[in-house]
Amino acid sequence: MNVRRYQARDMREAMRLVREHQGPDAVILSSRRVDGMLEVVAGTEVGAGAGPASASLALESTSPASTPALSIPVDPELAAMRRELCDLRSLLVQQQALSERDQWASRHPLAAEFVERLMKCGFNEKLARSLAGSIQESTPAEEAWSRLRTRLSAAIATAQPSVLERGGMLALVGSTGVGKTTTINRLALRQIRRMGPESISLVTLDRQRLGAYKQLQAFGQMAGIPVMLLESERDLVTLASRARDGNLILVDTEGRAARDVAERKLFAQVRQQIDLETWLVVPATHQASVLRQVLEAFQSCEPSALVLTKVDEAEQLGETLSVLLEQSLGLAFYSDGQRIDEDFHKADTAFLTRLALKEPASPARPEPQRPAAERTTNRAFEHAQVTRLPVTSQTRTEQESMVLESVVPFRKRVHAAY
């Protein structure tokens, strides 16, 4: 605030001096009689009115004869008054915003109801008002809500990557504990069912977490697929040159904090030499601010799709979907449980939207009959798991400790599309 002190014969002359030097927005802070003259202290916000902009608080004395202004030490009482005025200004701005919101709600009661409902589900206010802003107040409430739900579902980006069909090298990246290794197992099982165990290999670069390689190794032994522990990213170049056409290589990576990923670009040394696709694995349990930080940090890994895990553990899935709607990466798969097969699904935005809105899902459609070739592959895979390893106490203990009983192919639950 720019604060000045003026001396005049009366208040009319003092007001004239204040307007001339500080403009009509100036505020009279105090006035008193000094040696027969009226002393007035006035102030304006920095950059407002006609007064000069100043970053520091200065008090200037102006006489009727237009004597030069002199800077004097800051008066503690004026400084306290300045703080009170700033607080008052902030309060008035808040009150004005609340008043405008109430006025909007009174003019659009149905939209206001929907905004409140969305915010209770975790969606941020900006998104909620955007979704509800197109609602016609004359539309029946149930129909309007159905349209809003459809619009929200359609706004969530999805991805249909071709790497699972054509083969190649696919790496999963993400923070520690988000479910990368479990997702690798799930993708591998899906690929085995479709193409057979000879079409897939598992690779891990995670040499920090003790159980990561053992978990993949146990799965590989049960499924009859190779599992490799690599020393560094450069070993991927040699592996890619030896891979057969159409073979899918799934790469598990070490979990990293967002700040570490920003400092070191993963796969930067080998990306120009091999055809490598990366997917980012994120949990639905992250707070919005943390999820935004993770999405921004892992952009250096050039992910082409997202995998959303721990959907069943999210208290407010709307908070997660709000963040996903802010970025362009498409959702490829999501998981909503611990079972390797039954709780892993292709992206179904209609189902996720209903889940976020805390609405009951419609009855699932009957699962279509699997092709004969796929049924044959499933039977062969089940038989392979029974005969692959000799049943010993050590094997039984390892399998039980890894909780891999759901690796046996189950019938997959189908979420209905709305």
Side-chain angles (χ1 to χ4, degrees):
M1 176 177 283
N2 183 26
V3 180
R4 289 186 176 186
R5 191 190 308 271
Y6 302 90
Q7 289 185 352
R9 287 183 292 272
D10 51 30
M11 182 57 72
R12 177 178 298 180
E13 185 177 354
M15 291 294 293
R16 181 181 59 79
L17 292 172
V18 170
R19 284 195 297 269
E20 288 179 356
H21 290 86
Q22 293 185 277
D25 295 330
V27 177
I28 301 297
L29 302 179
S30 66
S31 62
R32 62 175 181 171
R33 286 285 177 180
V34 178
D35 297 332
M37 299 292 290
L38 179 62
E39 183 181 85
V40 174
V41 177
T44 56
E45 287 293 337
V46 175
S54 175
S56 61
L57 180 63
L59 295 178
E60 299 181 357
S61 176
T62 304
S63 66
S66 299
T67 58
L70 299 175
S71 297
I72 61 176
V74 178
D75 189 338
E77 295 183 0
L78 293 179
M81 187 178 299
R82 176 177 178 269
R83 290 193 296 270
E84 291 179 4
L85 287 174
C86 291
D87 293 341
L88 181 59
R89 183 187 185 95
S90 300
L91 181 61
L92 290 175
V93 171
Q94 294 176 4
Q95 291 293 335
Q96 183 179 5
L98 291 174
S99 177
E100 292 176 354
R101 185 181 304 171
D102 293 340
Q103 292 176 11
W104 179 83
S106 64
R107 294 193 302 268
H108 307 88
L110 184 60
E113 177 186 345
F114 287 174
V115 168
E116 182 178 0
R117 186 173 174 182
L118 287 169
M119 292 178 64
K120 285 183 178 179
C121 294
F123 293 93
N124 62 59
E125 183 178 1
K126 182 179 179 180
L127 174 62
R129 291 176 71 94
S130 175
L131 290 169
S134 60
I135 292 176
Q136 299 292 332
E137 291 294 324
S138 58
T139 307
E142 184 175 351
E143 179 182 348
W145 182 254
S146 177
R147 291 180 180 178
L148 184 147
R149 184 198 309 119
T150 302
R151 183 183 176 191
L152 176 59
S153 173
I156 303 174
T158 59
Q160 297 180 348
S162 61
V163 64
L164 300 181
E165 307 295 334
R166 57 178 168 80
M169 191 171 291
L170 172 62
L172 299 189
V173 298
S175 305
T176 304
V178 297
K180 296 187 298 298
T181 305
T182 303
T183 302
I184 288 279
N185 292 338
R186 286 165 162 166
L187 289 172
L189 176 58
R190 182 180 183 275
Q191 192 72 1
I192 290 172
R193 284 180 161 180
R194 298 174 59 253
M195 307 295 292
E198 67 282 352
S199 66
I200 188 168
S201 301
L202 301 184
V203 173
T204 179
L205 294 170
D206 189 355
R207 305 183 66 87
Q208 301 296 323
R209 192 164 62 91
L210 297 178
Y213 175 63
K214 289 186 177 181
Q215 183 177 347
L216 282 180
Q217 190 178 40
F219 178 88
Q221 289 176 343
M222 297 176 67
I225 57 178
V227 180
M228 291 162 278
L229 176 61
L230 302 186
E231 292 289 339
S232 66
E233 298 175 7
R234 293 195 174 277
D235 293 335
L236 294 174
V237 179
T238 305
L239 182 62
S241 64
R242 297 176 181 177
R244 297 175 301 172
D245 292 340
N247 190 43
L248 179 64
I249 302 175
L250 296 176
V251 182
D252 192 14
T253 61
E254 176 187 348
R256 295 179 178 274
R259 60 180 179 274
D260 298 332
V261 176
E263 296 174 357
R264 176 180 176 272
K265 293 184 178 181
L266 194 63
F267 303 123
Q269 300 177 355
V270 300
R271 190 173 290 278
Q272 300 299 326
Q273 305 176 50
I274 59 177
D275 183 15
L276 174 67
E277 184 169 336
T278 56
W279 291 1
L280 176 58
V281 182
V282 294
T285 53
H286 272 349
Q287 294 181 347
S289 58
V290 177
L291 186 55
R292 290 189 184 95
Q293 183 181 7
V294 169
L295 288 168
E296 181 179 357
F298 278 91
Q299 286 302 311
S300 60
C301 300
E302 301 181 17
S304 59
L306 291 175
V307 177
L308 185 65
T309 61
K310 304 183 181 181
V311 171
D312 57 313
E313 301 177 24
E315 293 186 5
Q316 287 191 321
L317 187 58
E319 186 174 358
T320 302
L321 296 186
S322 294
V323 178
L324 296 187
L325 286 167
E326 298 172 0
Q327 51 86 54
S328 58
L329 282 179
L331 182 64
F333 292 91
Y334 72 94
S335 63
D336 54 3
Q338 298 298 320
R339 295 173 296 182
I340 289 183
D341 180 63
E342 287 189 319
D343 298 331
F344 189 62
H345 321 279
K346 280 188 175 181
D348 184 346
T349 59
F351 178 81
L352 291 174
T353 300
R354 280 190 175 272
L355 194 63
L357 296 175
K358 301 179 181 179
E359 297 179 347
S362 299
R365 296 171 298 185
E367 183 177 3
Q369 186 70 18
R370 297 179 184 271
E374 186 175 346
R375 294 198 301 272
T376 302
T377 302
N378 290 344
R379 287 196 296 271
F381 179 57
E382 292 172 359
H383 178 70
Q385 292 185 83
V386 176
T387 60
R388 184 73 62 182
L389 296 174
V391 179
T392 64
S393 59
Q394 180 179 359
T395 303
R396 187 180 299 109
T397 302
E398 182 179 10
Q399 292 177 2
E400 291 175 355
S401 65
M402 297 307 296
V403 197
L404 288 176
E405 64 274 11
S406 59
V407 74
V408 179
F410 291 97
R411 290 177 59 84
K412 183 175 179 180
R413 181 174 70 251
V414 178
H415 294 311
Y418 306 98

